[in-house]
Amino acid sequence: MICDVCSTKSAMTRSASLNAGATGQARDPHRIAFFLAPQFSMMAFVSAIEPLRVANRLGGRELYKWMIVSADGDPVRASNGMTLLADGALSALSAVPTLVVCAGFDPGEAYDRNLRRELVRLGRAGTDIGALDTGSFILAWSGLLDGHRATTHWESLDSFREQFPRVQVTAHLFEVDRSRFTCAGGTAALDLMLHWIGLQHGRSLAAAVSEQFLHGPMRDAASAQRMKPALRHDIRHPKLARAVELMESRLEEPLGTRAVAASLGLSVRQLERLFLEHLQRTPHRYYLDLRLQRAKALLHYSDLSVFQVAVACGFNSLAHFSRSYRRWSGQRPSLERREAIRRVAVGAMPAII
């Protein structure tokens, strides 16, 4: 067995346990297992591990103890090509207070009936189960996020919302809801762990850990995942920034260039001049690119048909969508859809009782 600790109270949600940590009472280190899926995000994983290491150092004792598990106990290759050794197989994990599922671009590659069974088993045993990045898909496919607030990386957020109507999906940086927690991935994992350290051992320790990473202000759960368009594109003109924000909010029912210009009190010629000067594209081209970017995410991360994706991205004709997508990406959307169906088909499996 990898770990044979007794089932403990949830460290994230039960105040008695948190207060004991904050007042410095002696406790055994909190044990955490990280399940690494093939092609997992190394950035998210390291952002979650390193705050725990530094908390141990600054706390003067072993506050946290962690292990790495994989589906079969074999080493796991990350999306950046690096390989990490596992301490054992997930099935050998008898009991652990916290399990974190780490995934990356293709969560469906790791998900199968066996993984679902093990996650459900641990959940029933009282383990707090969370996810980094698209690990949220694995939890949702397993039915472990039904009725819970959850989030995932912004690129796959629309697909996540479409696939899992029983999950209360948010665009927040991270979510902690009872015994489930999820985050957007990347450095959001650092913010999630700082939040966790603050709850268990006080905000002063969390702030000290944050400073060790030159992290600056600690972001809270409700922080936005993405920068506002004006910051993303270094847009200084207020009306151009408003135009981009309006376009991003109307991808399913896009507005015409004339309507966008009118809403800002500009002529079509003035709007076109602003886009060409600052973004080197016409308003129509910029808007089309936004819609096709969303289409790509839906094709990769959802089980929507190509026609449904077209409608969700504001295309009235499947033929028009296919032509536009092929010119934009270099391949037909049906090819991307075919691969996506292979990845998410396992999500349609019946719940394990």
Side-chain angles (χ1 to χ4, degrees), residues 323-341:
R323 286 194 303 272
S324 299
Y325 193 89
R326 187 170 186 175
R327 284 197 297 267
W328 179 76
S329 73
Q331 68 175 338
R332 297 191 304 274
S334 57
L335 293 179
E336 297 214 39
R337 175 79 302 218
R338 195 174 302 140
E339 180 63 15
I341 288 174

Side-chain angles (χ1 to χ4, degrees), residues 200-212:
Q200 290 185 311
H201 301 289
R203 184 173 176 82
S204 294
L205 178 59
V209 173
S210 182
E211 285 194 321
Q212 286 290 310

Side-chain angles (χ1 to χ4, degrees), residues 251-314:
L251 297 181
E252 188 166 350
E253 298 178 353
L255 298 170
T257 301
R258 189 177 300 278
V260 173
S263 70
L264 301 172
L266 299 173
S267 68
V268 171
R269 182 173 295 181
Q270 287 173 318
L271 183 66
E272 289 179 341
R273 187 164 57 247
L274 279 176
F275 269 83
L276 287 171
E277 180 181 348
H278 295 278
L279 299 174
Q280 293 75 53
R281 280 173 286 180
T282 65
H284 174 76
R285 180 73 251 179
Y286 184 86
Y287 210 167
L288 181 61
D289 287 347
L290 285 178
R291 291 157 58 201
L292 291 170
Q293 287 165 8
R294 186 191 191 204
K296 183 173 184 177
L298 289 173
L299 289 168
H300 274 278
Y301 292 106
S302 80
D303 55 1
L304 297 176
S305 68
V306 174
F307 177 72
Q308 289 171 320
V309 170
V311 171
C313 297

Side-chain angles (χ1 to χ4, degrees), residues 205-270:
L205 178 59
V209 173
S210 182
E211 285 194 321
Q212 286 290 310
F213 295 108
L214 310 181
H215 186 51
M218 293 184 290
R219 297 177 292 180
D220 61 23
S223 297
Q225 293 188 24
R226 304 188 73 187
M227 295 181 287
K228 288 186 176 296
L231 292 174
R232 265 200 328 267
H233 303 292
D234 193 25
I235 297 173
R236 309 294 175 85
H237 196 290
K239 288 196 174 183
L240 179 59
R242 285 169 54 198
V244 171
E245 289 178 2
L246 180 60
M247 289 176 175
E248 289 191 352
S249 69
R250 292 288 298 268
L251 297 181
E252 188 166 350
E253 298 178 353
L255 298 170
T257 301
R258 189 177 300 278
V260 173
S263 70
L264 301 172
L266 299 173
S267 68
V268 171
R269 182 173 295 181
Q270 287 173 318

Side-chain angles (χ1 to χ4, degrees), residues 36 38 40 68 70-78 82-87:
L36 303 184
F40 69 95
I68 296 174
S70 64
D72 50 14
D74 290 341
V76 188
R77 189 179 181 87
M82 297 177 67
T83 299
L84 292 187
L85 298 176
D87 297 304

Side-chain angles (χ1 to χ4, degrees), residues 1-5 67 69 87-95 121:
M1 294 290 181
I2 299 170
C3 176
D4 194 23
V5 297
M67 67 199 76
V69 296
D87 297 304
L90 181 64
S91 59
L93 205 60
S94 60
R121 174 181 65 82

Side-chain angles (χ1 to χ4, degrees), residues 160 199 208 338:
F160 192 68
L199 286 177
R338 195 174 302 140

